[in-house]
Structure formats: C-alpha cells, structure tokens
Amino acid sequence: MLQWVRSLVFNIQMYVMMALMGIVFLPFALLSKDGARLACKTYCRWIRWTARWMIGLRTEVRGTPPEGEVMIAAKHQSFLDIILIFGAIPAGKFIMKRELMYAPVIGQYGLRIGCVPVNRGKRGAAIAKMTADVKKGLADPGQLIIYAQGTRVAPGVKAPYKIGTAVLYEQLGQPCVPTATNVGVFWPKRGLLRKPGTAVVEFLPTIAPGLDKQSFLAQLETAVETASDALMQEAGFDADAQDTRGA
C-alpha cells in the first residue's frame, strides 16, 4: 500500500512538472530547437532524480549513447524508456504516433525538436509518408529514434518487428543502434504502481548500413530481444511465470 501511495504522488508530480516546465521553457523553445531540447532534457533529469528518492527506482544507461546521425531502433515498454533514451543522446527525435501532436506539452515540444508524426492507418501509405517526412527533417542533424515494434510491449509479451523500421534503415543508409530495456518490469505500460529497483536502457553494438530489409530485421530483433531478456532476468522478471499467468 505504501508503494502504491508513493507511486501515486510520483505520478501526480510528474504531470504537474511537465506542465510547469512546458510553460517556463516556452520562450526558449520558441526561440530555438536547442531551447526545446534543453526543456526536454531538464525534464528527463527531473524524472530520473525524483524516481530515485520518491519510489526507489534507480535508472541506468549502458553502452555508448550515439552522437552522430544514426537511427536508434529501440524496445518500448513504458514512458520511462523514452526518458532514458532521449536524456542520454545529444539531439534525439522520435517517430511518434500522430495523436500525440495534440497532447498538451508533449505534442508541441515533440514537434519543436523534430519528431516525426506517423498515422498508423494503412501500412503502405503510412510508411511512405513516414519516410518522406523523415527525409525532410534530415537537414536538422540528430538521432532518429524509432520503436521497432510500433508500440509499448509488456515484459514477456511477444510482438512482431515492423517493416517500417527496415524501410527507413534501407532508405536512409544510416547506421542503426539497437537498444534494449527492462523498464517495463518496474514501470508498466498501464497502471499507477511503480516498483523499486534498477531500470536499464542499453545501447547495443551498431548495425552497419547495407543489409537487405529481412536480414536487417532478423539481426535487429535477435539483438534487442536477447539483450532485453537478459536485462529483465537481471531485474528478477520470470518469463516462464508470466507465460503461465497469461495462459
């Protein structure tokens, strides 16, 4: 019960501070993208700091955060992996679902830092629009972050890797940095409860450009799933027990 109360207080202050920082940093965000990035990075640091002492959740970034123009193809389990990935790299910009454009603060700042909204309707049209929009944004250097499964996936749940990630990899001709995580063990995709422990995001060895789409997707999935499974096991997650409960 105590952890639930601590989680509730943490969640409330998380959204309150999002609104306050959005207002305070608005003049800087309007002046430049660097001002918008500063606001987002400040918020990331705030969340990591408050998570540590309010709910007992430590956070860790492993591997080498990329700095050049690369594509980051990541595992997505909850809002926390967004915080950790963006806070670790110099100029991140996400492929985000179009509905988030209209979300208070998140939508406006996301567009300001160069995030690319995607309509998750008809797959062919959505992929074509996404690649066109990404290419338009290449004039603004940075690290393009895409969630390869297209949505949040809870620990122990299997979901396919989307072809759109492979299309971007092929058309952009950039290196890809696979990224694993275990954050969903502590910060689930739904619900208020946040658990104590150590949540990790890990940047894995780079996949060089030049592979065909199917080979790339296979290599990406193997790397991310293997590393994520290891991180979740390290965090005490029992995949077999999860499968049993799901059955």
Side-chain angles (χ1 to χ4, degrees):
M1 178 61 72
L2 177 60
Q3 188 65 23
W4 193 91
V5 172
R6 294 172 69 188
S7 299
L8 177 62
V9 173
F10 171 78
N11 286 322
I12 291 172
Q13 68 84 29
M14 180 177 73
Y15 290 110
V16 169
M17 287 304 297
M18 180 186 292
L20 288 177
M21 286 190 186
I23 294 170
V24 169
F25 280 94
L26 182 59
F28 304 100
L30 292 175
L31 285 173
S32 73
K33 289 187 176 183
D34 287 339
R37 289 194 187 103
L38 175 62
C40 296
K41 286 183 176 293
T42 302
Y43 183 70
C44 291
R45 289 193 292 270
W46 174 266
I47 294 302
R48 294 183 69 177
W49 179 65
T50 53
R52 182 170 181 171
W53 64 267
M54 291 185 75
I55 54 176
L57 181 56
R58 297 172 181 268
T59 54
E60 182 180 339
V61 175
R62 297 180 186 174
T64 303
E67 296 184 352
E69 290 192 59
V70 300
M71 183 175 76
I72 297 172
K75 183 82 170 173
H76 189 21
Q77 293 184 336
S78 75
F79 183 54
L80 184 56
D81 54 63
I82 295 175
I83 295 292
L84 296 184
I85 292 172
F86 185 83
I89 58 180
K93 45 188 177 181
F94 289 86
I95 301 290
M96 68 180 191
K97 58 185 179 181
R98 181 166 293 276
E99 301 92 289
L100 288 177
M101 287 175 55
Y102 309 105
V105 184
I106 291 178
Q108 291 71 43
Y109 274 84
L111 292 175
R112 194 72 184 104
I113 65 174
C115 292
V116 180
V118 173
N119 188 338
R120 296 194 298 186
K122 294 181 179 179
R123 189 176 74 170
I127 291 174
K129 180 71 163 56
M130 176 179 67
T131 54
D133 288 346
V134 167
K135 287 180 178 180
K136 287 179 187 175
L138 289 181
D140 182 26
Q143 300 78 47
L144 180 68
I145 307 152
I146 184 169
Y147 286 114
Q149 292 167 296
T151 188
R152 293 172 297 171
V153 178
V157 175
K158 300 299 181 183
Y161 279 56
K162 303 292 187 180
I163 192 65
T165 305
V167 172
L168 276 180
Y169 163 82
E170 185 179 68
Q171 293 196 7
L172 296 179
Q174 294 180 347
C176 174
V177 180
T179 305
T181 191
N182 67 1
V183 301
V185 174
F186 309 99
W187 184 317
K189 60 184 289 187
R190 294 188 181 90
L192 293 175
L193 182 63
R194 308 287 181 254
K195 300 175 184 177
T198 302
V200 180
V201 155
E202 182 176 5
F203 294 103
L204 305 172
T206 299
I207 299 175
L211 297 176
D212 64 81
K213 289 193 285 290
Q214 294 305 321
S215 298
F216 164 74
L217 269 187
Q219 186 171 333
L220 174 67
E221 181 171 358
T222 297
V224 173
E225 292 300 308
T226 301
S228 294
D229 287 347
L231 290 175
M232 289 187 287
Q233 185 176 13
E234 177 185 315
F237 178 75
D238 189 340
D240 293 333
Q242 180 73 13
D243 290 341
T244 299
R245 287 193 300 270

